[in-house]
Amino acid sequence: MASGLNARFSAEQRLRIFDGFTAPIENKAMVREESYFASRAEPSYLRLAELIEESAYWTRDLQRASAQAMRLVLVAVALLMGFTLWHAMSSMSTDAQVSLARVLVAALVFLLSSDTVGTMIAHKNAADAIDDVLQRVESAAARGYTEPDLLLLLSDYNAVVEGAPVALPGIYQLRRGKLTRRWRAYLENKRLTELT
């Protein structure tokens, strides 16, 4: 988001940022934000707002999709456990039923210990918090993109994203095409609304 205000980091800040990366960045080409974001506004608070808006739009969707995927996993496991238990009660001997009950309890303990429910809730809460950020972008636009609004908005957005769980693996690849089309339609609708 540094290009939103045409900010430049000092050498010490850049080193601190690069040292904080957990993924390897050696031999990777440096890419400017213009390659990722749709905003072509000149560096200003307007550009910063557009960068926050686009990033929040995509992140909110990925968090929601991750929450839905976790919900589907929970429902599938619950249905499988229910069906297995029903089948066991109707057709197995007592010893087999006890063994199966132990396996089902172990599976339930695994689900609870891996905090599947907590992760699902964290994804949903992150999506809701990011949705609030998107609404605040509209409020900042109505007030003329003032510096305090945008800096607070950027700070709040960063706090939400840093506290949110990472989107589930594969969610981005599954959603990329549809989300790209929705983002373009959103931008077109926004431009038409601004013209009227």
Side-chain angles (χ1 to χ4, degrees), residues 65-79 116 120 168:
S66 294
Q68 290 170 347
M70 295 298 290
R71 190 176 307 115
L72 286 174
V73 166
L74 285 172
V75 168
V77 169
L79 289 174
T116 306
M120 178 189 71
L168 295 177

Side-chain angles (χ1 to χ4, degrees), residues 2 6 8-9 24 42 45 48 54 60 82 91 103 108 125 128 131 139 147 150 155 164 172 175 177-178 184 186:
N6 204 22
R8 299 285 179 246
F9 296 116
E42 291 297 317
Y45 290 111
L48 180 60
E54 184 172 357
R60 176 190 61 182
S91 64
V103 169
L108 186 59
N125 289 343
D128 292 344
D131 194 45
S139 298
E147 179 181 10
L150 269 295
S155 175
Y172 173 74
R175 309 267 316 153
K178 182 178 180 182
R184 288 180 182 150
Y186 172 82

Side-chain angles (χ1 to χ4, degrees), residues 99-115:
S99 295
L100 182 61
R102 288 180 182 153
V103 169
L104 291 176
V105 168
L108 186 59
V109 167
F110 172 74
L111 279 177
L112 294 176
S113 67
S114 65
D115 198 21

Side-chain angles (χ1 to χ4, degrees), residues 118-141:
T119 303
M120 178 189 71
I121 292 169
H123 282 297
K124 183 192 176 308
N125 289 343
D128 292 344
I130 293 168
D131 194 45
D132 180 56
V133 167
L134 278 169
Q135 292 174 10
R136 289 174 51 202
V137 168
E138 291 177 19
S139 298

